[in-house]
Amino acid sequence: MGTRRAPHQIRRLGTEARAYGDPGRHRVSSRAGGAGGGHDLPPVDISEMWVIVLVPAHNEEDQIAETIQSLHLQQRKPDKIMVIADNCTDATEEIARSYGAEVIRTVGNRHKKAGALNQVLEMLLPDLDSRHAVLVMDADSALHPGFIHNALVRLAPGKLAAIGGTFTGKPGGGLVGMFQRNEYARYARDVRRLQGKALVLTGTATLFRALALKEVVSARRAGRLPGRDQVYDVRVLTEDNELTLALLHLRFRILCPAECTLTTEVMETWADLFKQRLRWKRGALENLMDYGWTRVTLPYWGRQLLSLVGIIVIFAYLGVTTWSIVVAGGLVIHPLWLAITVIFVIERIVTVSSRGPKQMAIASLLLVEMVFDVFLQIAQAKAFWDAAWRRERKW
């Protein structure tokens, strides 16, 4: 499959998709409201829904087979699997085809994952309608078998525009991998506790109603949302977080139900993890700057404030401890800091209970957990600093 043929192949896929849906296009008004002031979409018979999977991949020969296999093993199998090969120089394309996926090469893409997805979605979306859903997932993720079925059950009634997944970490990475798996377990616990009300539709895997994505494009074109008239804003560091804000500002509802789970790769070195987290944290902050102070962004700004407080508290804690040892000649902790220590340890233990007694025992060791927490706070502090001084954005 040559690079020059990619646009033609995408057009053909759009025609093929239209054959499974309504003969006409459905226009959704941004003023349409549902229960609680939300934005409803047309309800659809779940048996008539058509699922297209988009997997952007750059040199993912080690992961792509597992990703595609997880799609073939779905209780409700997708109707089309498309791997978007973005400037690949390894065997990603050949492996993807051997597992039954259709491969589309990007053409002159300079905007990484967001640009690769936009190239395909620009050709595909005009021919999609109320019956279509688009699953976007990372090439290093593997869905659990009920993901698509459970997501469609939630999407079909029209009350929700997108269903995100909660994830656990794949094996590997030694100590840094263990920290990430514990962190993901805590994140999944928080999402379950909030009954699926997550703040972000992560790029690991999210199923969108096609009409919602079309409305994002229309809103960007009309100047009601930041970015060019494409689904993903290619200016930002965290395109998934930005798209979540776009959907919420259009009054769409989103959910990350406990039934939609997957596994995803962990960073295997401290350097790679720091680079990833710095991009996530700075990207989230700059997304908020783009949208400003709105009813939607209020809780997100609140989290940024809590992060800032967390930085102050953790370094004050370390400063007091160091002063006690170096200056006072012994470890003398004020009752306030002792209480904070006890609360921290209990929280660390309880929130990894889903990973078993061994991880709970490790989490009880204050020094071990503090290493990772300080690491994350340093990344957060650098994100604040870089954003404040408008340092160059780097992927």
Side-chain angles (χ1 to χ4, degrees):
M1 184 178 300
T3 300
R4 294 180 182 177
R5 295 177 57 194
H8 169 73
Q9 291 162 341
I10 298 171
R11 289 190 188 96
R12 176 175 60 77
L13 286 163
T15 302
E16 177 183 307
R18 185 173 63 242
Y20 284 80
D22 298 330
R25 297 182 186 176
H26 188 99
R27 185 177 179 85
V28 181
S29 168
S30 63
R31 293 188 296 273
H39 189 338
D40 286 354
L41 290 167
V44 183
D45 187 328
I46 192 172
S47 65
E48 297 180 358
M49 294 191 76
W50 207 77
V51 179
I52 302 169
V53 182
L54 303 182
V55 185
H58 172 69
N59 291 344
E60 295 285 358
E61 63 181 5
D62 294 333
Q63 306 272 357
I64 196 66
E66 181 185 8
T67 299
I68 298 172
Q69 280 182 312
S70 78
L71 292 166
H72 290 314
L73 293 173
Q74 287 294 296
Q75 177 184 345
R76 198 304 196 172
K77 293 178 172 53
D79 299 280
K80 174 69 65 177
I81 301 173
M82 298 171 60
V83 171
I84 308 172
D86 184 34
N87 302 312
C88 291
T89 57
D90 64 359
T92 296
E93 293 186 35
E94 292 76 13
I95 295 171
R97 289 194 192 95
S98 72
Y99 280 87
E102 184 143 0
V103 176
I104 302 295
R105 291 181 186 173
T106 57
V107 180
N109 178 41
R110 296 181 293 107
H111 299 294
K112 300 187 181 290
K113 175 184 172 182
L117 286 165
N118 281 340
Q119 283 195 10
V120 175
L121 287 167
E122 282 181 355
M123 305 301 295
L124 203 59
L125 278 181
D127 294 314
L128 303 186
D129 51 54
S130 61
R131 299 183 188 180
H132 292 94
V134 179
L135 173 62
V136 178
M137 65 179 294
D138 285 344
D140 59 7
S141 296
L143 305 185
H144 294 162
F147 189 104
I148 293 179
H149 168 75
N150 287 305
L152 289 178
V153 167
R154 302 275 189 159
L155 286 181
K159 296 295 183 182
L160 298 168
I163 298 294
T166 54
F167 46 88
T168 56
K170 292 182 180 180
L175 181 63
V176 67
M178 181 201 75
F179 281 133
Q180 290 169 83
R181 285 185 288 275
N182 284 350
E183 180 188 24
Y184 293 165
R186 291 182 174 114
Y187 171 77
R189 182 180 183 275
D190 287 343
V191 173
R192 287 194 302 271
R193 184 171 54 84
L194 295 172
Q195 298 181 322
K197 295 178 181 178
L199 292 176
V200 179
L201 296 167
T202 71
T204 53
T206 298
L207 187 63
F208 300 92
R209 287 285 296 268
L211 290 182
L213 297 181
K214 293 175 78 168
E215 187 157 344
V216 168
V217 175
S218 296
R220 293 198 200 280
R221 184 178 297 124
R224 293 187 290 128
L225 292 175
R228 295 171 50 193
D229 54 346
Q230 298 173 307
V231 172
Y232 288 95
D233 188 346
V234 297
R235 304 169 303 124
V236 302
L237 292 171
T238 46
E239 68 283 338
D240 305 309
N241 186 72
E242 193 282 333
L243 181 56
T244 303
L245 291 175
L247 290 168
L248 293 176
H249 276 88
L250 293 176
R251 297 168 52 236
F252 284 117
R253 305 180 193 87
I254 63 173
L255 197 70
C256 294
E259 301 86 1
C260 294
T261 57
L262 64 141
T263 57
T264 194
E265 185 182 33
V266 297
M267 296 293 102
E268 297 197 346
T269 69
W270 289 102
D272 287 341
L273 180 61
F274 189 83
K275 182 179 178 182
Q276 179 198 60
R277 296 312 167 88
L278 180 60
R279 178 172 65 85
W280 286 3
K281 293 175 185 296
R282 182 177 175 183
L285 182 60
E286 292 183 343
N287 290 158
L288 292 179
M289 292 177 179
D290 280 346
Y291 279 87
W293 186 270
T294 70
R295 178 182 58 83
V296 170
T297 60
L298 181 60
Y300 294 84
W301 281 115
R303 290 213 165 198
Q304 292 294 332
L305 178 60
L306 287 175
S307 295
L308 182 58
V309 171
I311 292 171
I312 295 171
V313 169
I314 194 71
F315 287 107
Y317 181 92
L318 293 175
V320 169
T321 303
T322 302
W323 184 89
S324 294
I325 296 174
V326 175
V327 178
L331 187 60
V332 179
I333 300 180
H334 188 277
L336 172 63
W337 295 113
L338 180 60
I340 291 175
T341 301
V342 172
I343 292 171
F344 179 82
V345 171
I346 292 173
E347 186 271 339
R348 297 286 91 181
I349 295 171
V350 171
T351 53
V352 295
S353 58
S354 64
R355 299 204 61 221
K358 180 180 178 180
Q359 292 303 322
M360 292 175 68
I362 294 174
S364 69
L365 302 175
L366 177 63
L367 182 61
V368 173
E369 285 289 318
M370 187 69 75
V371 167
F372 191 59
D373 199 57
V374 170
F375 175 86
L376 294 180
Q377 296 292 7
I378 292 173
Q380 181 72 68
K382 183 168 175 27
F384 281 128
W385 178 267
D386 289 350
W389 291 98
R390 300 191 179 278
R391 301 276 297 275
E392 181 185 358
R393 301 181 184 188
K394 294 182 180 179
W395 180 272

